[in-house]
Amino acid sequence: MDFTNFLVRKCPPTAMYIPNFITFEEEERILTQIEKTPKPKWTQLLNRRLINYGGIPHPNGMISEEIPAWLQAYVDKINNLGIFESEKANHVLVNEYLAGQGIMPHTDGPLFHPIITTLSCGSHTILEFTERQKSGVETDEAPTPKDIRYKLLLEPRSLLILKDTLYSDYLHAINECSEDTLCDRVCNFENCEAAYKMGDKMTRKTRISLTIRNVPKTSKLKIKF
Ligand SMILES: O=C(O)CCC(=O)C(=O)O
């Protein structure tokens, strides 16, 4: 697949942004499936809740679990893009953010192959990038507005592919707010589905994100009798 049209040119390499990667109907189907997920499958955090599909990544190897067929269809769609090279995505992290919720600045760590893909459903959000401290120390503090170097507007139904320097040398975060004001630090206006103006205000709704990745180290469950 030729990604030239999807490359975000105004930020360090590499972000690729594909608007309308899925249809409205597919988005609805995903939201309906997620809504039906029994409560015990969710992990509730302070500022969001999440579900792991495919297993729980672990330094000793992820014990692989089958991804449900309705979700595997989207994993296959992403694998068919060929972006994981010889690898295949085998893990999906579902995050649910209510309006006003977000995620602190972080990198995804060594358990994952350093290419991530994120499908957004239900609402837009703004992903913010701050430079990583050279000391490697990550803070638990929300970035101050002046620390934020780049922003990406993630529209519902879009797919973001993140790798290389933007993935490894920057922390990514989602600010805890219920309304976003568009500014010139948003790098992907020209890749977006809709046309926006500087200063536009966008109200957040509940957003479900599917982060689809490859966990290189997996192990089979050994049962001793
Ligand atoms: O929801 C998103 O778009 C980002 C999720 C994320 O960064 C993570 O789960 O590590």
Side-chain angles (χ1 to χ4, degrees), residues 14 34 101 114 150 175 211:
T14 301
I34 299 294
Q101 295 186 325
Y150 308 100
N175 187 17
T211 300

Side-chain angles (χ1 to χ4, degrees), residues 66-77:
E66 202 170 326
I67 296 176
W70 68 265
L71 186 54
Q72 185 63 42
Y74 301 100
V75 176
D76 291 344
K77 188 167 169 165

Side-chain angles (χ1 to χ4, degrees), residues 6 16-31 74 77-78 81 117-125 153-161 188 191-194 196 202 205-210 212:
F6 304 123
M16 287 181 288
Y17 179 81
I18 310 182
N20 292 314
F21 182 72
I22 54 169
T23 63
F24 277 101
E25 291 72 28
E26 289 173 319
E27 180 188 28
E28 266 319 300
R29 251 178 272 147
I30 292 172
L31 292 173
Y74 301 100
K77 188 167 169 165
I78 287 168
L81 298 174
T117 64
T118 304
L119 197 51
S120 294
C121 302
S123 176
H124 82 281
T125 200
L153 169 58
L154 307 184
E155 299 167 292
R157 298 172 298 286
S158 69
L159 183 75
L160 172 71
I161 303 166
N188 64 324
N191 310 78
C192 283
E193 170 197 358
Y196 302 95
M202 296 178 74
K205 293 183 284 194
T206 299
R207 171 171 175 266
I208 298 289
S209 72
L210 309 183
I212 301 180

Side-chain angles (χ1 to χ4, degrees), residues 156-209:
R157 298 172 298 286
S158 69
L159 183 75
L160 172 71
I161 303 166
L162 198 59
K163 58 181 185 168
D164 304 325
T165 314
L166 193 59
Y167 174 78
S168 56
D169 295 0
Y170 291 82
L171 305 175
H172 53 274
I174 296 171
N175 187 17
E176 295 186 333
C177 64
S178 27
E179 189 182 74
D180 295 291
T181 305
L182 299 182
C183 70
D184 59 5
R185 268 177 285 178
V186 175
C187 302
N188 64 324
F189 284 129
E190 65 186 30
N191 310 78
C192 283
E193 170 197 358
Y196 302 95
K197 284 194 309 299
M198 225 47 70
D200 278 355
K201 292 193 187 310
M202 296 178 74
T203 304
R204 287 195 202 164
K205 293 183 284 194
T206 299
R207 171 171 175 266
I208 298 289
S209 72

Side-chain angles (χ1 to χ4, degrees), residues 12 105-112 114 128-139 143 147-150 164-173:
H106 67 285
T107 51
D108 290 1
L111 300 182
F112 297 100
E128 301 178 336
F129 293 86
T130 49
E131 225 159 328
R132 234 177 141 173
Q133 299 297 309
K134 295 285 179 282
S135 63
V137 178
E138 293 181 19
T139 66
D147 294 330
I148 299 162
R149 301 288 303 274
Y150 308 100
D164 304 325
T165 314
L166 193 59
Y167 174 78
S168 56
D169 295 0
Y170 291 82
L171 305 175
H172 53 274

